[in-house]
Every structure is written in structure tokens, then in C-alpha cells.
Amino acid sequence: MGVLTHASLVEYLLEEAYEVAETIEEGHPDAELQGELGDVLLQVVLHARLAEERGAFTFDDVARGLAAKMVRRNPHVFRPDGTLQDSFPATVAEIEQKWDAVKRAEKPHRTDPFEGIPQALPALARAQKSLDRAQRAGLGLPAGVPVPGSEDELGELLLAVVRSARDGGMDAERALRAAILRYQSDAAPS
């Protein structure tokens, strides 16, 4: 593997995360999921250890920061002291509104609803996240098309589109990434 650096470990972190997703999606036993989650945690520990060696932060700092963030970003669940609220919002929409309000308060400099969506996400995941953010921000959504009634049928349709793109000498991933960038540019408030 060579010298361990944050950059040299990225591919392993991504691989382990995809293995967790695959384990869940394929319905593997809990023992296998436990092992895969442990592999992801190992990656977190390695990154924290590298940071500790540089004097930047420790694994304990990461855990404390996560706990504080969970409390701060979920006032519908936690009181400021970390104890649970007595009651919770009735709808997912109310939870999203509270979440968005907290995020806006934390990062008032962010005016672009698409800021913070990782550029490295696969195009379909990035498109979905972009559309979710746009809808919550009250921005216009691109035109939709009729879709089949099930995810299995939708998957077959998407596969057929990718096949047709390939047959035509086009890269479907690259095409969707470019379409997302155009949409974000047109939809984002100026």
C-alpha cells in the first residue's frame, strides 16, 4: 500500500462504504453487516490516527464533534444538553424544515442550495440530491417524464438508456454530470 496518507486511503474508504451498501441492499446477515461497518470504522480510525500524528485532531475529537453536531442539528430530537425532547414533529416535512433552518443558521454564508453536494458522488446520486435540495429551496425543477410503476422497471429503463448511450458512443455518466451542472447553474439563485 505504500505510505499511508489521507489521499492514499480515500479509495479504501469509498470501497468499504460501497461494501456496506451492497451488504444492506442484498440482504446479507447482520453479522456480515457488522463486519462491513467495522471496516468503515477502521477507515475512520486510520484517518483520525494520521491527523493525530500531525497534531490536528484525535479520534475522540471526531466522536465529540459528531455528538455535538447530532444534538445541534436535531433540535426536534435533542435538547441543547443532549437529552431527548418530550415530543417530536409530526411529519417528515416539519423535520426537514427544522433541519434546513439549523443548517442555514450554521452556515449563513451558503446561499447556493447545491453547495456541499460532493462532486465525486455518482451522477445518479448527485442528481437525486440536487433535486431534493432544489425542491426544499423552492427552486424550479427540470421537466420530468413518465416512469414505470416499480423500481425494477425503472432500473430496466435506466439500463436501456445507458445501453443506448453506449451504442451511440456516448458516456451516460458524463452526460448526466454535465446536465446536473447546467441545471444547478440555471436554478441557483444569483
Side-chain angles (χ1 to χ4, degrees):
M1 184 166 10
V3 177
L4 290 182
T5 65
H6 292 293
S8 73
L9 290 173
V10 166
E11 69 177 286
Y12 302 104
L13 175 62
L14 293 173
E15 181 179 326
E16 296 301 349
Y18 279 115
E19 287 179 12
V20 168
E22 185 176 298
T23 299
I24 292 167
E25 290 168 355
E26 293 182 0
H28 290 279
D30 286 342
E32 192 168 332
L33 177 58
Q34 177 184 339
E36 295 299 344
L37 288 171
D39 291 345
V40 170
L41 185 57
L42 173 61
Q43 294 301 312
V44 173
V45 169
L46 286 172
H47 280 279
R49 181 69 183 137
L50 288 174
E52 184 176 358
E53 288 177 4
R54 289 193 333 269
F57 58 84
T58 68
F59 181 81
D60 288 347
D61 296 329
V62 172
R64 275 192 296 276
L66 174 61
K69 183 180 190 179
M70 291 299 296
V71 169
R72 186 177 67 247
R73 289 200 177 166
N74 294 281
H76 56 285
V77 177
F78 301 104
R79 295 185 186 102
D81 68 0
T83 60
L84 290 176
Q85 294 284 4
D86 293 326
S87 62
F88 304 100
T91 67
V92 171
E94 289 175 301
I95 292 170
E96 284 178 347
Q97 286 173 342
K98 287 181 180 292
W99 174 269
D100 287 340
V102 169
K103 294 269 293 203
R104 279 192 305 276
E106 281 182 7
K107 299 179 180 179
H109 61 283
R110 277 194 181 175
T111 56
D112 181 349
F114 307 114
E115 187 176 340
I117 298 175
Q119 298 291 319
L121 275 179
L124 280 174
R126 195 158 157 232
Q128 181 88 32
K129 194 159 202 62
S130 296
L131 295 175
D132 290 345
R133 292 264 192 98
Q135 183 173 26
R136 291 203 325 255
L139 302 177
L141 298 177
V145 297
V147 295
S150 75
E151 284 194 359
D152 284 348
E153 293 170 312
L154 176 60
E156 295 300 322
L157 175 61
L158 290 170
L159 185 59
V161 168
V162 172
R163 186 254 163 113
S164 296
R166 182 190 68 77
D167 289 353
M170 292 180 267
D171 181 314
E173 177 81 9
R174 185 174 55 234
L176 181 54
R177 291 177 83 72
I180 294 165
L181 288 174
R182 286 190 302 274
Y183 167 69
Q184 289 177 342
S185 176
D186 292 345
S190 314

